[in-house]
Amino acid sequence: MGEPQVFELLSDSEIEAVHNAALAVLSETGVFIDHPRALEHLAGCGAEVDAASGRVRIPPRLVKEALAACPSSFILYDREGREALRLGAREVHFATSSCAVRCQEGTAARPSRAEDLVRLTRVADALPEIDLVSTQVVADEAPKELADSYRLYLVLRNSPKPVVTGAFSEEGLWDMKALLDAVTGGRTEDRPCAVFDVCPSPPLKWTAISAANIMDAASAGLPVEFASMPMPGAATPVTLAGSVVVHTAETLSGIVLAQTVRPGTRVVWGGAPVGFDMRHGTAPLSAVEATMITVAYAQMGRHYGLPTHTYAGLSDSKLVDAQAGLETALSGTVAALARIDIIAGAGALDFVGTQSLEKLVVDAEVCGLIRRLLRGIEVSPDTLARDLITALGPGGDYLAQAHTRRWFRTELHLPGPVIDRLDRKAWEEQGRTDILARARERVEAILKNDPRAPDPDRAAELDRAMRRVMDTRGCPSLPFVGAAEG
Amino acid sequence: MVEEAFARLHEALLNADEEAAVKATRDLLDAGAEPQAILERGLTEAMTELGRRWNRGEAFLPEVVAAAEIFKTCSDLVEPALLARGGKKAGHLVLMGTVKGDLHDLGKNIVTAMLKTAGFEVSDLGRDVPTERFVEEAARLRPKIVGLSALLTTTMLEQRTVIQALEAVGLRPDVRVMVGGAPVTAAWAEEIGADGYAANAVEAVEVALRLAGAAAQDAGGRKADG
C-alpha cells in the first residue's frame, strides 16, 4: 500500500489564498465576542479590542503564535484511562452525531428522553465501527441548568469509549469537568476521554457561553473541538470559497482565544457545515456543498497541522429510508477520503435534530464499508498470487485454497446482518425483511446485553458527582441517578 | 491415545488443517481404532459441527469447502481398512456433477461441501460431465441421489438428458435426482421430472435429507413387498 491518498478540492495556492483572506478578515474586520472577560484577555494579548462594540481585531502575529502552540496530534483515552485513538495521524474515526432533541419512533419523532440516550449510547458502544460516542440527545426530563452535564453522566455510565460533548452554559462546563474527574479518578487533564465542541455563531460571532467555554476548557486542560457552521448564501457567502474563508477566520479566532489562555491546549479543527435550501429555508447537512466545504476546510486544518472533524455520514431525511442511506454513504465516504480525523454523524436524521437507533446500526455498516475502502489494496508477492494463479490455471477453483483461507478475513469486508446479501429465495423465506426491520432486530439484540458500566467505585464516584451537580442546581431527582446513600 | 487422536482429528477438520488431519487419521489407524468409528465419530461429526458453525455465521465457505476436501483425503485413507473389515461408508451416497458443456463448478463444490457437513458421502464427477459418465457411475456406485448442476440456460437442458438416460437404462426408480444452478427453477425441475430442486447450498442439504429419507422408506417398502 502506498501513502494514503487524500481527496482534496483546493490547490496549494488556493489554500494560501483562503489563508490570506482569513487573516485579512481577522485583522481588518475582526470577530464579535460577547464576553467582557474574553475581550479583556485578548486586549492584554495584543488584539485590537473595542470593548463597547465587542469587536476584536486579531493581528496575523497572534494567529501565527497560536497555531504554533497547538499540538499537531494528541491521544484520546477511554473512560478507563486506556489509549483509545490518536487524532492528527490521518486516521479516520467515526463518532455518533450529537445535539438532537428528538428520537425517531416509526415515522414520527418525539422529544428525546434519558432512556433514549442510554439506549443510543449502549448501541453505539456495542458497534465496533463507532470509535467515539457523543452526547447524542438531550433528556427532556432534565432542567435546562443541568441538561448538558446530565447528558454526559448518562453516556459515561453506559460506555467507556471517548466522548464528544459540549456545555450549554458557563457553569455547565465545570459541572461536566467534575463528572469527568469523578469517573477517571482525576485524570481528566493528562488522560482526556472527552472533547468539548464549541460553536461560533456564524458569521464571525462568539456568544458569551462559547467564549467562556473555550477559555475555561483551555484552563482546565480539556480538548476543544471548534465547530464553525458555514451556511452558504445565508450566514456565509454563497460562494463555497467565501464560506471556507469565514470558517477559517472563525476557527482561527477560537484557536487564538484557547492558546492565549493556555498554550498547548489540545484543539480539533472541526466544523458543522450546512447547505441552505433556497426553496424551503432549511439547512441540510447532507447538501453536497456542505460536504465540499468540509473537504476544503479539512485541507486548511491539515495545512495548519491540526486534527480535523466534521459532521458527515448523516442524513436530513425524516425516515430511515433510501434518502437516508444515500446521503449518509455519500458524505461519509467523501469525508473519509478527505481523511478527516473525526467524522460525526451516525444515527442522525432531520438536520441532526432527530436520532434513530435503527439508523445508528445502519450507519455503522456504512462506516464498516468505508474502513475497508480506506485500508486500500495490499500489494505483495503473496497478494499478487502469481504462483497460485499458475498452479490452478484456467477454470481453477480458488474457494478451497489455503491462500483463500489465509486472506479472506482481511481482504473481504463482511457486512453485518443489517445488510441483505441472501439469495432471493432465502430472503423471501426469512420474511422479506427490509433494512429497517433488520436494524430493529440488531438494536434489540444489542440491548439484551448489559451496558459496559464503570467499575463500582468509579460508578459511585460518578453518581456522587452527578448528585452534587443536582443539589447545586436544585434538582431533586433524575432517572438513572441512584438515590443518595445514608 | 485414541481419544486424544480423535480430538486432534476433530480440531484439524474444524481448522481445515490437512496435515494435522491426515496425521491424526494415520495415528488412529495405527492405534487400531475402528475404521467405521474414524469415519463417523471422527470425520463426519467434525463436518456436522462445521456445518452448525456455518449456519450460525461462525464458519465461512473457504473453511467448509477445504474441510470437505480434507474429509475426502482422510476417508480415502480409512477406506481400505474399512472394506477389509466388511464395513460400509458412512452416510448416503450422492453422485454429483456439472452437466456436459458447462465449465462452472463453484456452486456444485459448495453444495458438495455442505452435503458432507450433513453426513452425506459425495462422489464428485467434476464439471463438463458427459451424460454416459453419469449413467455409468450411477450403475456402478448405486447412489441414493444424483445431483446435476448447470449454470447456463443452454446447459440446463442437459439435466433433462441425464434424467432421460437414467430412465432408459432402468436406473431411474432407484435414484433421486436433484437439480440446481443459477437459471434452474422449481418449475424447471418439475418439468424435466427431477425429484428435488434447491436454490442454494443450505436448501440443497435440506432437499437431500428429505430425498434420502424417502429413498430409505422406498427401499424398506420394496423389501416388505418382496
Side-chain angles (χ1 to χ4, degrees):
Chain A
M1 266 173 292
E3 267 295 288
Q5 292 189 338
V6 181
F7 176 59
E8 299 182 336
L9 289 170
L10 301 179
S11 67
D12 288 350
S13 63
E14 288 165 346
I15 288 174
E16 207 52 39
V18 171
H19 171 68
N20 290 333
L23 285 188
V25 167
L26 286 174
S27 62
E28 292 163 24
T29 313
V31 295
F32 167 77
I33 302 180
D34 189 19
H35 201 300
R37 176 157 62 107
L39 295 176
E40 200 177 307
H41 164 77
L42 287 169
C45 297
E48 185 193 317
V49 173
D50 177 9
S53 69
R55 189 73 73 94
V56 182
R57 291 180 174 81
I58 302 171
R61 176 187 59 83
L62 266 188
V63 174
K64 197 174 163 198
E65 285 169 11
L67 284 171
C70 296
S72 60
S73 82
F74 63 89
I75 294 167
L76 274 184
Y77 296 81
D78 69 7
R79 186 187 62 195
E80 323 297 342
R82 290 173 302 224
E83 197 171 316
L85 46 98
R86 175 174 281 281
L87 301 177
R90 294 209 183 182
E91 278 167 22
V92 170
H93 307 281
F94 293 102
T96 48
S97 167
S98 51
C99 293
V101 292
R102 292 181 295 275
C103 270
Q104 189 81 3
E105 206 165 86
T107 58
R110 54 163 178 76
S112 49
R113 301 178 64 78
E115 173 74 31
D116 296 317
L117 182 52
V118 168
R119 289 156 65 95
L120 284 162
T121 305
R122 287 175 57 192
V123 170
D125 188 51
L127 296 169
E129 296 87 354
I130 303 295
D131 303 294
L132 302 99
V133 289
S134 296
T135 41
Q136 271 179 285
V137 292
V138 294
D140 196 40
E141 302 96 319
K144 292 276 173 286
E145 298 72 37
L146 44 65
D148 49 5
S149 51
Y150 183 49
R151 281 196 314 180
L152 180 61
Y153 167 79
L154 293 174
V155 169
L156 291 173
R157 261 304 207 153
N158 288 286
S159 171
K161 291 183 179 178
V163 187
V164 181
T165 188
F168 298 159
S169 67
E170 274 200 60
E171 303 76 32
L173 184 119
W174 295 110
D175 292 345
M176 295 167 81
K177 163 91 163 49
L179 297 182
L180 289 167
D181 279 339
V183 82
T184 62
R187 289 187 295 183
T188 307
E189 195 173 332
D190 51 293
R191 296 197 160 223
C193 69
V195 287
F196 279 73
D197 276 357
V198 183
C199 307
S201 304
L204 306 172
K205 288 181 304 180
W206 292 97
T207 62
I209 294 169
S210 290
N213 283 170
I214 293 171
M215 298 176 78
D216 295 343
S219 68
L222 300 168
V224 179
E225 183 167 270
F226 296 103
S228 163
M229 194 175 166
M231 188 189 286
T236 54
V238 72
T239 48
L240 305 192
S243 288
V244 178
V245 170
V246 174
H247 176 280
T248 304
E250 285 179 353
T251 310
L252 286 174
S253 65
I255 286 174
V256 166
L257 186 54
Q259 300 299 335
T260 50
V261 167
R262 183 164 174 182
T265 295
R266 288 161 282 215
V267 298
V268 179
W269 184 272
V274 296
F276 185 74
D277 191 290
M278 294 295 175
R279 298 162 302 177
H280 309 299
T282 49
L285 283 90
S286 299
V288 72
E289 300 81 16
T291 310
M292 293 166 76
I293 291 171
T294 284
V295 172
Y297 83 61
Q299 285 186 258
M300 298 309 298
R302 267 198 306 278
H303 174 70
Y304 298 131
L306 298 175
T308 53
H309 152 275
T310 195
Y311 278 91
L314 39 68
S315 173
D316 300 312
S317 176
K318 312 302 173 287
L319 297 173
V320 184
D321 60 2
Q323 181 184 337
L326 74 92
E327 289 180 343
T328 300
L330 181 69
S331 68
T333 304
V334 172
L337 291 175
R339 304 275 164 178
I340 309 256
D341 289 276
I342 300 176
I343 299 176
L349 289 169
D350 186 11
F351 315 109
V352 295
T354 306
Q355 288 285 345
S356 156
L357 284 162
E358 289 82 9
K359 177 144 196 304
L360 179 52
V361 300
V362 174
D363 291 357
E365 296 294 343
V366 175
C367 301
L369 296 176
I370 291 173
R371 268 190 209 291
R372 175 64 192 95
L373 175 69
L374 293 181
R375 269 202 291 126
I377 294 181
E378 185 171 339
V379 179
S380 69
D382 198 27
T383 62
L384 288 168
R386 204 187 123 193
D387 293 347
L388 179 65
I389 297 166
T390 304
L392 293 185
D397 177 357
Y398 290 87
L399 188 55
Q401 301 304 314
H403 185 266
T404 304
R405 291 199 300 284
R406 190 158 66 244
W407 283 103
F408 82 95
R409 285 171 200 275
T410 44
E411 285 285 298
L412 309 179
H413 169 69
L414 267 184
V418 168
I419 299 298
D420 164 46
R421 282 185 172 176
L422 295 172
D423 62 73
R424 176 168 284 274
K425 190 151 187 287
W427 172 78
E428 285 171 353
E429 283 169 3
Q430 292 184 23
R432 299 167 182 263
T433 56
D434 66 3
I435 194 163
L436 187 59
R438 294 190 296 273
R440 207 164 277 150
E441 259 178 52
R442 177 100 202 264
V443 166
E444 276 161 23
I446 289 173
L447 290 175
K448 284 205 179 88
N449 300 322
D450 291 330
R452 292 200 291 167
D455 81 58
D457 291 349
R458 291 268 157 262
E461 282 291 323
L462 181 60
D463 285 359
R464 273 194 288 277
M466 188 65 226
R467 278 196 304 270
R468 276 195 295 274
V469 171
M470 289 161 65
D471 290 345
T472 315
R473 310 274 168 240
C475 173
S477 73
L478 282 170
F480 301 103
V481 186
E485 306 140 35
Chain B
M1 166 64 194
V2 168
E3 283 312 308
E4 177 267 342
F6 267 119
R8 270 194 287 130
L9 181 57
H10 197 83
E11 271 310 295
L13 247 79
L14 292 179
N15 297 328
D17 182 342
E18 175 157 23
E19 210 175 304
V22 167
K23 176 153 195 323
T25 306
R26 291 223 165 93
D27 289 348
L28 283 167
L29 288 168
D30 292 349
E34 277 295 319
Q36 196 80 35
I38 301 175
L39 270 183
E40 286 170 12
R41 271 194 55 204
L43 297 168
T44 306
E45 265 185 30
M47 285 306 285
T48 310
E49 169 59 20
L50 196 57
R52 277 195 292 267
R53 290 187 185 183
W54 185 78
N55 271 319
R56 290 197 302 259
E58 295 162 11
F60 298 92
L61 288 176
E63 293 144 351
V64 176
V65 173
E69 290 195 354
I70 296 167
F71 179 100
K72 171 85 169 77
T73 308
C74 294
S75 62
D76 284 353
L77 285 177
V78 177
E79 195 169 359
L82 185 72
L83 297 177
R85 300 203 193 180
K88 62 174 177 57
K89 288 250 181 126
H92 299 296
L93 178 66
V94 180
L95 189 64
M96 184 70 89
T98 305
V99 296
K100 190 177 165 209
D102 199 320
L103 300 176
H104 298 86
D105 62 357
L106 186 57
K108 182 256 307 165
N109 290 351
I110 294 172
V111 171
T112 298
M114 286 298 158
L115 288 173
K116 285 180 182 170
T117 67
F120 284 94
E121 190 198 336
V122 183
S123 177
D124 184 356
L125 302 180
R127 60 192 170 196
D128 192 15
V129 179
T131 301
E132 314 79 69
R133 179 105 203 283
F134 275 114
V135 175
E136 284 164 25
E137 291 299 304
R140 187 173 72 86
L141 297 171
R142 292 304 177 123
K144 282 275 189 308
I145 297 171
V146 174
L148 304 172
S149 172
L151 265 291
L152 303 170
T153 46
T154 49
T155 55
M156 64 191 269
L157 301 174
E158 290 295 323
Q159 293 177 331
R160 169 156 46 202
T161 312
V162 175
I163 291 174
Q164 287 168 344
L166 289 170
E167 262 162 20
V169 298
L171 281 170
R172 185 68 184 92
D174 299 329
V175 298
R176 304 286 153 145
V177 177
M178 53 192 284
V179 293
V184 179
T185 61
W188 170 251
E190 195 176 335
E191 186 186 329
I192 63 175
D195 302 296
Y197 155 75
N200 55 56
V202 184
E203 213 181 294
V205 171
E206 289 163 16
V207 172
L209 287 169
R210 183 163 51 74
L211 293 180
Q217 269 184 356
D218 276 10
R222 268 201 298 280
K223 228 170 268 166
D225 291 346

